[in-house]
Amino acid sequence: MNKSLVLASIVAALALAACSKKEEVAVPATPAPSVVVVPAPSADAAAAAATGAASAAAGSAASATDAAQAATSAASSAGTSADAATSAAMSAASDAKK
């Protein structure tokens, strides 16, 4: 009986070992990406691009300054209008009390 128990254990171990094996899937090799060499732009082209960018930035700064001045003027006008409205409301309230 002892021999049959050992033999049954060995057969069970072999069966379990055979069931757990998985096939390895072959992964196709991907080709290495190709390298494209792009020549660097000339110094003149780079200088022209930098000059254009600086000019655009200066134009944007001038526009921003103009917009800020317009906003300041509008805020000042709104403040003046609010003061006038407050004065009118106080005068109307004073007249209503009389």
Side-chain angles (χ1 to χ4, degrees), residues 13-79:
L14 289 175
L16 288 174
C19 291
S20 66
K21 281 192 177 180
K22 294 182 181 177
E23 284 188 38
E24 292 183 19
V25 178
V27 178
T30 57
S34 61
V35 177
V36 177
V37 177
V38 178
S42 67
D44 291 337
T51 301
S55 176
S60 295
S63 296
T65 301
D66 291 344
Q69 287 173 348
T72 301
S73 176
S76 177
S77 295

